[in-house]
Amino acid sequence: MDEFKKLIYKQEFKEIENPWDLTPDISSYLKDASVDDLKEASRRYSIISPYLQGEKADFSETPERTFYRWVSAWRSASEKYGYGYLGLIPKNRKKQGGYQAKLSPQTQKIIDEFIQNDYLNFKQKGKYAAYCALRKACTDKGLIPPSYKTFVKNINQISVYETAGKRQGKRIAYKNEPFYWELELTTPRHGDRPFEICHIDHTQLDIELVSSFSKINLGRPWLTLLIDAYSRRILAIYLTFDPPF
């Protein structure tokens, strides 16, 4: 360390020019990549490197389709930039046309408030009219307003059923309500009232019954339940040896 400090003091270090001679756009591309991006690119290269050197392809670490996709990306970047390594950097790091600026928490909050209070109501205000009011509110608060495209994108993330219900009423929204073929524990309550929507479930029980008179094995019975989608109450129970049809 002392010798290193002496060399710095004597100014005996000499700057070495970049041997890669990278163009500004390539340098920027590498500079913007995260450490995880570069680690992943290096991992991919270690897998396809033997193949690029003329050895037989090895699919023990990655699927064949993925393997050849990385090889193709390497060769494409090599032809375009002269550095195949760039093709192995994960593409989700950089979107076409550059990065999209993230909204500040304050801006996102005001967008959510305007969508709920100014757009999703029975006044049925148009999207652009609601956006103009939002833009003015952002300007008054010293915030950079989002683009109209971003505002519409946030609106489109809301389900058609919810949008129609808050702007036109539940009767209009009913036709847009999602239909659930099965009733699971995670299935949300649906229907506007009890007895409106019901689910029927058929299950063959894991038991065999024997007749008390003839001692003949009657087989496994079927249990059918009628369940209310709104209250989740069991409305009817039916037990039979006949399979459902």
Side-chain angles (χ1 to χ4, degrees), residues 215-230:
K215 307 303 181 182
I216 296 176
N217 189 332
L218 302 177
R220 296 167 58 189
W222 285 86
L223 174 66
T224 298
L225 300 176
L226 180 67
I227 305 174
D228 180 64
Y230 187 86

Side-chain angles (χ1 to χ4, degrees), residues 78-184:
S78 182
E79 293 177 3
K80 184 176 181 180
Y81 300 108
Y83 304 100
Y85 184 84
L86 298 180
L88 300 180
I89 297 176
K91 292 295 187 292
N92 61 346
R93 177 191 64 81
K94 205 166 188 176
K95 303 299 181 182
Q96 201 172 27
Y99 289 103
Q100 181 179 1
K102 293 184 178 180
L103 297 173
S104 66
Q106 296 88 345
T107 303
Q108 185 61 58
K109 181 180 179 181
I110 198 171
I111 289 176
D112 295 339
E113 290 176 352
F114 263 82
I115 290 177
Q116 292 297 326
N117 302 328
D118 199 54
Y119 179 74
L120 295 178
N121 55 49
F122 289 112
K123 294 181 180 179
Q124 298 188 35
K125 182 183 289 188
K127 294 179 181 177
Y128 188 73
Y131 170 72
C132 290
L134 164 67
R135 186 174 57 186
K136 183 178 184 304
C138 287
T139 303
D140 293 343
K141 294 184 178 182
L143 300 173
I144 299 177
S147 65
Y148 177 65
K149 182 178 179 180
T150 299
F151 179 66
V152 173
K153 183 178 179 180
N154 276 260
I155 290 177
N156 292 339
Q157 290 176 351
I158 303 172
S159 68
V160 177
Y161 173 72
E162 182 180 352
T163 301
K166 291 185 177 181
R167 285 173 61 86
Q168 299 173 285
K170 288 186 176 181
R171 182 172 295 181
I172 300 298
Y174 180 78
K175 61 182 180 180
N176 295 311
E177 183 177 15
F179 186 81
Y180 300 97
W181 290 97
E182 297 180 356
L183 193 61
E184 306 286 350

Side-chain angles (χ1 to χ4, degrees), residues 176-237:
N176 295 311
E177 183 177 15
F179 186 81
Y180 300 97
W181 290 97
E182 297 180 356
L183 193 61
E184 306 286 350
L185 290 175
T186 56
T187 304
R189 184 172 67 177
H190 44 288
D192 293 329
R193 58 187 180 277
F195 304 106
E196 181 183 12
I197 299 176
C198 297
H199 290 260
I200 295 179
D201 178 71
H202 305 285
T203 303
Q204 189 174 27
L205 301 180
D206 194 20
I207 58 173
E208 293 184 353
L209 301 181
V210 178
S211 172
S212 59
F213 298 101
S214 63
K215 307 303 181 182
I216 296 176
N217 189 332
L218 302 177
R220 296 167 58 189
W222 285 86
L223 174 66
T224 298
L225 300 176
L226 180 67
I227 305 174
D228 180 64
Y230 187 86
S231 65
R232 299 302 176 92
R233 295 292 184 90
I234 298 176
L235 303 180
I237 299 175

